[in-house]
Amino acid sequence: MRWFALCAFLMFAIGCSDNEANLVTNNGNNGNNGNNENNANNGNNTNNGNNSNNSNNGNNSNNGNNVNNINNFTDTYDVDPGTDSTDYTGTVPSNGSADAIETAVYDIVVAYCEKLFDCRDDADALRAIRGARLATVGDCVQEHLDRDAPANYKLAVDEGRAQFFDVEAGFCPMAFANTSCDIIARSIFAPRSQVQTCADAIVGLTAEGEACGSNADCNIGNFCNRYFVDECVGTCSSNDPASLFCGEDGSCTPQQFCEPNSMTCMDLVAAGGTCADSTQCATGNFCRAGTCTAMKLLYQEGEVCTFEGQLCAPGLFCGVNDAGTDLECQPYRTNGESCGLDAECDREHWCDLDDSTCKPRVASGACFTNDECLSFNCAMSDCIPTANACTVPAGTMM
């Protein structure tokens, strides 16, 4: 029962799939396929920079308070955030390999994570950071290494599932400096997928729909999807930011939302326009009292917040205060601390609903959901070890 409950939540919050998440945070809503290419064009308010998954009924058990309806809280939008002077560098893990391919992957990850945090005052980037529960650049780098180790890329090249081009690899880190923050946000856990120079550095040779051992295998625009599979091998799947099953061609562009009654794609509404909910508002906006309104970013610890419009700084989640009277930015919980959702625990932990405490994510061992694993790959009730790419059986690749 716990497995189904957690995975149902994770499908919309941070997913039950493989490694490379594309958090396309166009309007602050998490959408189609979880933490493997989290296309946030339309869905639930879980990648809106707050990791706050109880926006419908306010049930937040992080501190024992049960709030029946968050709409009962006072509108605090007119309260501005304090100065954000935090050093977000953290402890950046070192490169443990002398191999050229593994070093290139490491350098790409570090450069990407530095750019991501430089973009934290952009709504898209902040929601991406918070959707992955990252507090520092070091967190970001470690999360990449945990989910898809550089050794996987070397293995893919050695086995002929990918090609490596050292000149392009050298230019890739510099390419991020000229990449817009919305693209950086879209590329979280998939830096190569959105920047052509980086895609040209390590070229996966496996096409959409074919079997893959890791993200390194898949060609541009795809990731190795192990979404609810019972085996290690995944399938290269599209990471295009599109809402499925809507519009004439079955998808909407990042600048559109799916109108639920007509099931047609409509343009996102600019600030000042009329809206029914935040899924309809253009990036950087939320629906406030029927009007698309600019979000406010980087609220500090102890300051007021909301799940959509007033977003906490990295390292903080939006939860009910001890008095149960307001929402405020709080530090992520860690090992043994109380929680009601994975979103309340830091990136190294998951929330065990059996006893409502944060438990460490593990490199190997028994699991129920992907979020319990450092590799974010729970296959047949076991965590696939972090540095292991899956072996693709002969005959499964075309």
Side-chain angles (χ1 to χ4, degrees):
M1 188 70 180
R2 182 180 69 167
W3 189 91
F4 288 107
L6 286 175
C7 277
F9 162 71
L10 286 167
M11 282 183 68
F12 296 99
I14 50 177
C16 287
S17 37
D18 183 37
N19 297 317
E20 294 191 13
N22 178 20
L23 288 169
V24 184
T25 50
N26 292 308
N27 55 10
N29 304 286
N30 180 19
N32 303 313
N33 57 1
N35 206 21
N36 261 318
E37 315 308 332
N38 277 318
N39 297 324
N41 297 314
N42 51 26
N44 303 293
N45 297 317
T46 52
N47 279 331
N48 58 6
N50 299 289
N51 284 320
S52 306
N53 303 289
N54 47 0
S55 57
N56 292 323
N57 58 11
N59 292 318
N60 189 329
S61 58
N62 66 75
N63 56 9
N65 295 305
N66 183 22
V67 180
N68 292 321
N69 194 326
I70 65 167
N71 292 323
N72 292 334
F73 291 122
T74 303
D75 184 348
T76 58
Y77 181 77
D78 291 333
V79 179
D80 292 327
T83 302
D84 181 46
S85 58
T86 303
D87 179 1
Y88 289 107
T89 303
T91 302
V92 179
S94 60
N95 176 24
S97 174
D99 178 79
I101 298 173
E102 294 183 38
T103 297
V105 173
Y106 172 85
D107 290 344
I108 289 170
V109 166
V110 172
Y112 172 80
C113 289
E114 289 175 346
K115 175 67 174 183
L116 177 66
F117 272 80
D118 284 345
C119 287
R120 65 184 179 276
D121 57 355
D122 174 87
D124 284 347
L126 181 59
R127 290 196 302 269
I129 290 169
R130 300 208 45 73
R133 310 203 304 265
L134 306 176
T136 65
V137 172
D139 278 354
C140 177
V141 174
Q142 189 61 60
E143 186 75 359
H144 278 82
L145 301 182
D146 284 344
R147 289 170 177 265
D148 207 17
N152 292 347
Y153 291 82
K154 176 174 172 51
L155 179 64
V157 173
D158 289 346
E159 294 186 350
R161 293 179 277 118
Q163 293 177 322
F164 173 66
F165 299 93
D166 57 350
V167 173
E168 286 78 1
F171 284 116
C172 175
M174 294 182 289
F176 290 130
N178 297 317
T179 302
S180 64
C181 288
D182 63 317
I183 298 299
I184 290 294
R186 190 180 304 167
S187 315
I188 191 167
F189 301 128
R192 294 184 307 126
S193 70
Q194 300 292 330
V195 179
Q196 188 66 52
T197 303
C198 300
D200 291 341
I202 303 170
V203 180
L205 302 178
T206 305
E208 183 176 355
E210 296 182 2
C212 52
S214 73
N215 291 314
D217 301 357
C218 300
N219 57 19
I220 187 169
N222 292 288
F223 70 105
C224 191
N225 186 6
R226 299 187 185 107
Y227 202 37
F228 282 120
V229 300
D230 290 327
E231 57 187 18
C232 183
V233 175
T235 302
C236 287
S237 303
S238 173
N239 63 11
D240 287 341
S243 55
L244 301 180
F245 313 117
C246 190
E248 293 182 0
D249 61 353
S251 63
C252 302
T253 71
Q255 291 75 41
Q256 297 177 317
F257 70 94
C258 183
E259 201 289 313
N261 295 320
S262 62
M263 292 302 289
T264 58
C265 296
M266 302 183 67
D267 291 340
L268 292 172
V269 180
T274 302
C275 55
D277 58 64
S278 294
T279 65
Q280 300 178 0
C281 296
T283 181
N285 292 272
F286 74 109
C287 191
R288 182 190 184 210
T291 301
C292 289
T293 307
M295 296 177 178
K296 293 183 178 181
L297 312 178
L298 301 174
Y299 284 82
Q300 306 297 296
E301 181 177 349
E303 294 182 343
V304 297
C305 57
T306 60
F307 299 145
E308 294 184 291
Q310 297 165 264
L311 310 187
C312 299
L316 307 170
F317 74 93
C318 189
V320 183
N321 64 10
D322 290 338
T325 56
D326 271 311
L327 299 172
E328 68 178 20
C329 296
Q330 306 173 32
Y332 286 130
R333 308 299 169 84
T334 189
N335 192 40
E337 294 184 334
S338 64
C339 61
L341 297 165
D342 288 333
E344 298 169 11
C345 303
D346 63 30
R347 63 155 292 276
E348 295 180 345
H349 296 82
W350 62 284
C351 186
D352 186 345
L353 297 184
D354 286 345
D355 60 6
S356 297
T357 59
C358 296
K359 300 288 179 65
R361 294 166 63 194
V362 297
S364 61
C367 56
F368 289 93
T369 69
N370 287 341
D371 200 56
E372 298 172 41
C373 307
L374 285 172
S375 63
F376 208 77
N377 185 9
C378 179
M380 299 185 70
S381 300
D382 284 303
C383 289
I384 300 300
T386 297
N388 288 13
C390 303
T391 299
V392 180
T396 58
M397 294 183 67
M398 297 180 184

